[in-house]
Amino acid sequence: MIKCFPKLIAANAILSFAVATDAQFDQPKSGLQPMKSAIDLIKKQAPLEVNQALLAKISPDEVHVVVSLGKQHAYLMVGEEIVIDSPISSGKRGHSSPSGSMHVMEKDPNHHSSLYGDFVDSSGRIVRAGVSLHIDAAPSGTHFQGAAMKWFMRLTGDGVGMHVGILPGYPASHACIRMPSNGAKLFYDHVKVGTPVEVQPAS
């Protein structure tokens, strides 16, 4: 029995160390915050704000649009007054949204991307989602289906525009200006082809 004590003591020491180590891993390290889920980020997106009194009396002939890439907001304006203040999500790193003076070149209520979308089979089932025609080849038996860009307002000749899209609270698009559905519809209804759009750079 006496010879067994050292082994028993050693085993207890190893077990105690393992428990202590597990406890350390279970505790968040000082200064580090747990990762936030996508839904938490979406909840932080500022709500759409509308000046209903101004909205009721404006016409497409007198409005202009200002997009702030730094603030991640788009404004429908009459003179210096904000009629609609909408959150946006602009182009992510490597696909930044162009800035400068532009105008609405085209309006299409049910536009689809010619560059980004999904590969679907003959029954309409998505075989590969989130593809880019720049880099992805179509799997056999599929065809390309462009991503929906509802309430599309074209700003550039190469396809950048304002339209309905997911707003995670930070720049996430492939250069377009994503908007909430209610905001995109309001902008779409109150601009015309030729409406001036000023896209202000992030810095």
Side-chain angles (χ1 to χ4, degrees), residues 159-181:
V160 175
M162 304 172 69
H163 61 82
V164 174
I166 296 171
L167 279 69
Y170 50 85
S173 80
H174 286 97
C176 280
I177 308 297
R178 296 179 184 172
M179 308 180 74
S181 57

Side-chain angles (χ1 to χ4, degrees), residues 101-121:
S101 296
M102 306 172 196
H103 65 275
V104 176
M105 302 172 65
E106 172 196 0
K107 292 175 64 181
D108 182 355
N110 291 297
H111 189 72
H112 286 79
S113 175
S114 59
L115 296 175
Y116 302 100
D118 306 318
F119 287 129
V120 300
D121 63 18

Side-chain angles (χ1 to χ4, degrees), residues 90-98 116 132 134 160 171-176:
S90 60
K92 60 187 175 183
R93 182 173 294 182
H95 296 275
S96 58
S97 301
Y116 302 100
S132 167
H134 290 302
V160 175
S173 80
H174 286 97
C176 280

Side-chain angles (χ1 to χ4, degrees), residues 43-57:
K43 284 178 182 176
K44 287 191 171 182
Q45 196 73 20
L48 186 78
E49 294 184 12
V50 182
N51 184 324
Q52 296 291 350
L54 272 178
L55 187 68
K57 60 185 182 182

Side-chain angles (χ1 to χ4, degrees), residues 60-127:
D61 293 325
E62 56 189 336
V63 304
H64 65 280
V65 175
V66 174
V67 177
S68 171
L69 300 182
K71 295 179 180 177
Q72 290 291 282
H73 276 260
Y75 310 96
L76 184 74
M77 304 186 69
V78 173
E80 297 300 311
E81 294 187 278
I82 297 173
V83 183
I84 305 170
D85 177 349
S86 174
I88 65 163
S89 177
S90 60
K92 60 187 175 183
R93 182 173 294 182
H95 296 275
S96 58
S97 301
S99 60
S101 296
M102 306 172 196
H103 65 275
V104 176
M105 302 172 65
E106 172 196 0
K107 292 175 64 181
D108 182 355
N110 291 297
H111 189 72
H112 286 79
S113 175
S114 59
L115 296 175
Y116 302 100
D118 306 318
F119 287 129
V120 300
D121 63 18
S122 58
S123 66
R125 181 177 61 91
I126 296 174
V127 175

